[in-house]
Amino acid sequence: MTDELVRVYVPATVPMLARLPEHGLAATQAHAVTPTLREWYAEGDEEELEYVAFTRAAQDALQLIRHDPAAPRRRVVVSADLPATAIGRGDGELGSSVVELRAPVPVAAVAAVHVDGVDAATDVAAAVQVVLEALAGDPDAQFTVDGAEDHELEWYDPSELESLLRATAAEG
């Protein structure tokens, strides 16, 4: 019997992507459609639930960027399909999409890479500065974070990772 695969959305930074091919994606948490998320969004279909998990991963990417001053101001979310055994329970709060990752995400598990376009960098940089205040409930900070969230992340096939990294490095 094969292990069921679970789609996870892993928040990341561009430097984390650069290490992905050789070392995997070193992350301890990701987002997924969890039982508690399904219970909270009882009316949502699978696509809507996946979008919620994806959006939350993009929000978490802001915090990762904040902790890495050298990282380009572009949110990154890696969509990966992992065996259910590679994923631990999250916090269990109603509506939560958080799951624990038991090991780095191997490049072979990556289904897609999502990265902000160059046009989002200014809004993402502003959001990075106030993301903690937004999480604490500051409405002005949340407005700034929402400005970054107005940008859709661009989709890349895993085979495009090397060219994406080259392009990102060239952009500065």
Side-chain angles (χ1 to χ4, degrees):
M1 184 170 136
T2 58
D3 199 3
E4 175 189 350
L5 293 179
V6 177
R7 172 65 51 99
V8 296
Y9 304 96
V10 187
T13 63
V14 172
M16 290 171 72
L17 278 184
R19 295 186 293 273
L20 173 61
E22 283 189 47
H23 305 288
L25 189 61
T28 58
Q29 285 189 338
H31 291 269
V33 177
T34 63
T36 59
L37 182 63
R38 283 185 201 286
E39 186 177 346
W40 183 256
Y41 289 94
E43 301 299 316
D45 65 19
E46 193 69 15
E47 188 173 320
E48 290 170 320
L49 295 172
E50 288 177 356
Y51 185 76
V52 169
F54 177 88
T55 301
R56 290 177 179 174
Q59 291 168 349
D60 284 356
L62 290 173
Q63 293 179 65
L64 293 174
I65 296 167
R66 183 179 174 98
H67 293 297
D68 185 353
R73 289 350 203 191
R74 294 168 72 177
R75 296 169 298 163
V76 176
V77 175
V78 176
S79 298
D81 295 319
L82 297 175
T85 55
I87 301 166
R89 298 179 137 240
D91 57 25
E93 287 185 32
L94 188 60
S96 177
S97 59
V98 173
V99 293
E100 301 297 325
L101 299 178
R102 296 189 169 128
V105 175
V107 70
V110 174
V113 177
H114 313 269
V115 182
D116 271 313
V118 176
D119 63 322
T122 301
D123 289 336
V124 170
V128 165
Q129 294 300 314
V130 298
V131 66
L132 296 180
E133 292 85 350
L135 290 170
D138 181 321
D140 292 331
Q142 186 60 54
F143 181 79
T144 301
V145 169
D146 290 346
E149 292 177 359
D150 286 344
H151 296 274
E152 292 289 326
L153 278 72
E154 297 173 355
W155 181 94
Y156 295 89
D157 185 86
S159 66
E160 298 175 285
L161 181 59
E162 188 176 317
S163 60
L164 170 63
L165 290 169
R166 277 196 309 271
T168 304
E171 292 159 6

